[in-house]
Amino acid sequence: MVAQEINKGSPQTWNILEGHGFTTLSLAETLGGGQSFVWDQDATGVWHGVINQVMIRLRIDGSLLEWQTNNPRCFSKKALLHYLWIDATYQDAIDTLPWRSDLILAKCMDSLSGLRILRQPLDETLFYFLLSPVKSIPQIKETGRKVSETFGPSLGSGRHGFPGWTRLSEVSEKELRDFKMGYRAKNVAGTAQFIKNHPNWLESLQELSYNDARTEIMTLPGVGGKIADCVLLFGAGMLQAFPIDTWIDKVLTQRYHLDDWSLKQKLSFAHLHFGDFAGLAQQFFFSSERLRLL
DNA sequence: GGGCAGGTTGACA
DNA sequence: TGTCAACCTGCC
């Protein structure tokens, strides 16, 4: 289906993104490693995804990172550089992390050179992470894709975008359950109603400090500390957010020997030790542990 | 069939 | 403040 679209009319040229620093591995972990659920890799290694309701393709060819879109009028190279965090602030963040004195972190960063935190839309990120408790990445993608196909805008080639919370607020909890959400349907429906009744509330979180935004977003049904940190890190660019899931907990317990520390104490340790870019460190740990690179 | 998983919540000590 | 079961679904 996707291939037909690509071959329709004149073949599209691949555009080059300079100065990216990705490897095949770090690009795969960035797009498919659990911070985003809208990217799929085909058999030829090309990544197909959606950014701001526009279909985008990405591939690594040698040392080149290349991209193309079916909709160049609605999408700019600048938008893609922003989404992929390809700018000078990434190198600043890397330099700021305490890898010089932390051999565990240094090893993870070395194995996954170029790994990024994506700058994703806040509304969509909140939706996907409400689906995430005790679900695997393929399950979250499947449910999200089916909800988008049913309620979201068609983007061509059979692909659909995120419907938005306004549209989701018109869908009953019972209907949502048919998408295999289980008990999460109640949280999605409750969140949709809250957002409908509080216009601009979600956007206004971006203006708050990390601590205030975290407290605020945890008032939503189904959003505890872990999901709050995921949404703020991946959807609001708050890079100090440090989501602790079972993988990260394992790293802190086994590698940093915090065996008897409570979750709250581990969180304090992470903020103190990793600093303003703790979330980026977290992503290096997450992928390293998941891929058994540590 | 039973147990468990990338989490949250409410009950209870 | 900490522990525990329940919640859906899919997979081993």
Side-chain angles (χ1 to χ4, degrees):
Chain A
M1 299 170 292
V2 173
Q4 282 171 358
E5 184 70 22
I6 294 169
N7 295 329
K8 204 187 290 176
S10 59
Q12 291 176 0
T13 54
W14 286 92
N15 307 290
I16 294 173
L17 285 177
E18 299 85 2
H20 60 88
F22 280 111
T23 63
T24 304
L25 180 65
S26 63
L27 181 68
E29 277 303 299
T30 299
L31 298 177
Q35 59 172 308
S36 176
F37 303 93
V38 299
W39 291 92
D40 296 294
Q41 192 174 31
D42 69 21
T44 68
V46 175
W47 286 93
H48 302 256
V50 174
I51 306 174
N52 300 334
Q53 308 291 27
V54 175
M55 286 170 57
I56 302 293
R57 289 179 289 280
L58 285 170
R59 72 174 184 191
I60 285 199
D61 185 7
S63 63
L64 297 178
L65 177 62
E66 300 177 316
W67 69 287
Q68 57 181 209
T69 174
N70 296 7
N71 201 346
R73 272 174 298 180
C74 295
F75 196 81
S76 67
K77 179 178 178 177
K78 194 179 165 190
L80 185 57
L81 291 171
H82 182 261
Y83 179 88
L84 292 172
W85 194 7
I86 300 177
D87 60 48
T89 66
Y90 175 69
Q91 198 52 50
D92 291 344
I94 291 290
D95 286 344
T96 304
L97 287 175
W99 51 269
R100 293 171 184 82
S101 58
D102 183 334
L103 294 179
I104 302 164
L105 177 61
K107 187 178 177 188
C108 296
M109 291 173 69
D110 190 49
S111 316
L112 287 154
S113 172
L115 186 75
R116 304 297 212 287
I117 303 295
L118 295 171
R119 289 168 171 151
Q120 302 178 80
L122 184 54
D123 56 352
E124 183 177 318
T125 307
L126 172 60
F127 169 71
Y128 276 98
F129 280 97
L130 277 172
L131 302 180
S132 69
V134 206
K135 283 257 189 195
S136 66
I137 294 171
Q139 289 173 332
I140 299 165
K141 284 168 87 167
E142 171 78 0
T143 295
R145 189 178 59 80
K146 285 190 170 159
V147 169
S148 297
E149 279 174 5
T150 308
F151 306 110
S154 172
L155 308 178
S157 303
R159 189 94 199 216
H160 293 253
F162 174 62
W165 284 106
T166 304
R167 179 70 186 92
L168 290 178
S169 70
E170 298 161 357
V171 183
S172 70
E173 180 188 330
K174 187 175 175 301
E175 276 180 279
L176 291 171
R177 277 188 179 257
D178 293 339
F179 294 93
K180 298 178 182 171
M181 282 186 201
Y183 62 89
R184 301 160 198 83
K186 190 177 177 184
N187 299 330
V188 172
T191 292
Q193 289 307 314
F194 182 89
I195 291 176
K196 180 189 169 192
N197 295 330
H198 299 80
N200 301 321
W201 173 84
L202 193 58
E203 295 71 27
S204 72
L205 294 181
Q206 306 256 21
E207 314 301 321
L208 301 179
S209 68
Y210 160 66
N211 283 323
D212 288 349
R214 190 174 193 268
T215 303
E216 190 70 16
I217 202 166
M218 281 177 68
T219 61
L220 290 174
V223 179
K226 191 268 179 183
I227 290 180
D229 279 330
C230 284
V231 175
L232 295 178
L233 177 61
F234 304 129
M238 296 190 180
L239 296 166
Q240 63 272 64
F242 191 89
I244 299 183
D245 60 17
T246 56
W247 296 93
I248 299 301
D249 192 50
K250 190 176 163 193
V251 172
L252 294 175
T253 303
Q254 296 183 2
R255 314 290 176 187
Y256 287 85
H257 307 292
L258 307 185
D259 306 61
D260 298 326
W261 294 43
S262 72
L263 196 60
K264 201 174 168 185
Q265 289 169 328
K266 286 172 184 163
L267 205 51
S268 296
F269 165 81
H271 286 137
L272 268 173
H273 181 58
F274 301 114
D276 290 344
F277 300 102
L280 180 58
Q282 180 270 168
Q283 206 58 25
F284 279 108
F285 292 135
F286 181 83
S287 288
S288 298
E289 193 64 41
R290 221 169 66 93
L291 299 171
R292 299 176 197 278
L293 300 175
L294 258 173

